[in-house]
Amino acid sequence: MPAYALLLAFVVIAMIPATRTWYVRVTENQSNGEGVTSAGVNMGAMPYVLYVARPRTDAITQIDHVDVYTNTSQAVLNTYDAIFGGDHNKYTSAYVRMPVYGIPSGKDLKLTVTCKADYLDAQGNVARYISNVIQVSCAVIPVSVIPENANSTEIYVGALTYFQNNAASLTPKSFVDYMVTTVNGVKNANVTGKKMEGTEKGISFTIPSSQIQMTNDKAYIYFKIDYNEDLVYHYIRNSLWGKGGFKIGETAADGFAGTITNGNSVTYDLQDVTITVLD
């Protein structure tokens, strides 16, 4: 299976309250972005760490190693899997672990993830932005589940297991509004554009205070970043059909055995995360 070569540069800024401390994206045609903004006067977010598991080439249901990305590392996400049949790589998801400190007792948190790009490009095609094909989930995972000093594999597997076990309450959100219809066994997605969070393009998660467990004045917030099957298929049909970069299967209408390559890359356009303390 071809390698999915999505490059993402991260820059971690100062570790003080109300400063931006997550990442800045750097792409071929743009070099801007924000980070984490805390709306609490005495609250802040420490530098994040992103974990990507690399499966074994001879047994993709097993982990060979886990790559860890911090500071200015360039992150490479796993191949988008062949979702309509064949072997399934359960390690396509990536996880961000972000310690947040100074959270007021008894207060809910709202985390807003914004992105810069529109859904369509100037020609009216589905633009090659990662926010157009991924979904994000968010949770606070207590240190009783993933210890503070856990190693990278323990963190990745612990996060993967936690999100799987709590899937009913940790519904993933995508960055576009869409509806899927199925006609004669073929799925079609109708996308109306980017979701909005206030005046910004983005999505938000509210974490109730009852789920926030502090240890040493910190709570560990995790983001799961994964592909949305319906949106990827919609992207293929509407943007890349016949343009190369994908290999469409011959055995079924939904056959797909390909990925996004270096020459047909998708731009990572997530812009910032805002953490707001709710009254």
Side-chain angles (χ1 to χ4, degrees):
M1 184 179 293
Y4 182 89
L6 174 62
L7 298 183
L8 169 61
F10 296 94
V11 177
V12 176
I13 316 205
M15 296 193 310
I16 59 176
T19 59
R20 289 160 179 162
T21 53
W22 204 25
Y23 60 79
V24 175
R25 66 193 186 290
V26 179
T27 67
E28 292 180 358
N29 59 0
Q30 58 191 23
S31 179
N32 51 19
E34 302 299 336
V36 172
T37 301
S38 168
V41 176
N42 296 313
M43 188 180 70
M46 293 183 180
Y48 82 100
V49 180
L50 184 144
Y51 300 88
V52 181
R54 306 301 181 189
R56 288 174 46 182
T57 55
D58 60 336
I60 63 173
T61 58
Q62 300 178 39
I63 292 178
D64 180 79
H65 65 279
V66 174
D67 286 340
V68 179
Y69 299 95
T70 60
N71 298 334
T72 57
S73 301
Q74 288 188 320
V76 181
L77 300 184
N78 276 328
T79 298
Y80 181 74
D81 204 6
I83 56 178
F84 300 110
D87 292 332
H88 177 64
N89 172 17
K90 65 180 179 180
Y91 301 118
T92 55
S93 54
Y95 297 91
V96 173
R97 187 193 204 200
M98 186 172 66
V100 178
Y101 60 93
I103 302 173
S105 177
K107 297 292 186 179
D108 300 344
L109 289 185
K110 179 181 179 182
L111 295 102
T112 303
V113 186
T114 57
C115 59
K116 180 180 180 181
D118 289 319
Y119 170 66
L120 299 177
D121 62 20
Q123 289 72 44
N125 296 319
V126 180
R128 293 185 176 93
Y129 291 112
I130 192 67
S131 62
N132 288 341
V133 294
I134 64 168
Q135 58 192 20
V136 177
S137 306
C138 181
V140 175
I141 302 181
V143 296
S144 58
V145 176
I146 303 178
E148 286 190 278
N149 61 350
N151 62 41
S152 58
T153 300
E154 291 169 339
I155 290 171
Y156 184 93
V157 173
L160 183 151
T161 302
Y162 186 90
F163 278 92
Q164 284 180 339
N165 292 343
N166 295 274
S169 59
L170 300 176
T171 304
K173 296 184 178 182
S174 63
F175 288 86
V176 296
D177 282 310
Y178 73 99
M179 180 178 295
V180 175
T181 57
T182 303
V183 179
N184 296 326
V186 177
K187 293 193 297 184
N188 291 285
N190 177 32
V191 180
T192 56
K194 288 287 187 180
K195 287 185 179 177
M196 300 295 292
E197 183 63 38
T199 60
E200 302 288 335
K201 303 179 183 75
I203 55 178
S204 67
F205 304 90
T206 298
I207 300 177
S209 61
S210 59
Q211 296 180 12
I212 301 173
Q213 298 185 31
M214 304 289 288
T215 301
N216 298 325
D217 197 38
K218 296 191 299 293
Y220 287 91
I221 295 177
Y222 290 76
F223 292 92
K224 176 184 178 181
I225 302 174
D226 204 355
Y227 301 99
N228 180 300
E229 175 179 324
D230 296 324
L231 293 176
V232 168
Y233 188 52
H234 175 74
Y235 176 89
I236 297 169
R237 291 179 63 89
N238 289 272
S239 183
L240 295 179
W241 196 274
K243 295 183 180 180
F246 291 86
K247 183 184 297 181
I248 307 302
E250 299 293 336
T251 58
D254 283 348
F256 168 63
T259 186
I260 302 167
T261 66
N262 270 321
N264 227 351
S265 63
V266 170
T267 304
Y268 208 107
D269 70 317
L270 299 188
Q271 187 166 2
D272 60 25
V273 176
T274 302
I275 304 175
T276 306
V277 177
L278 301 179
D279 291 332

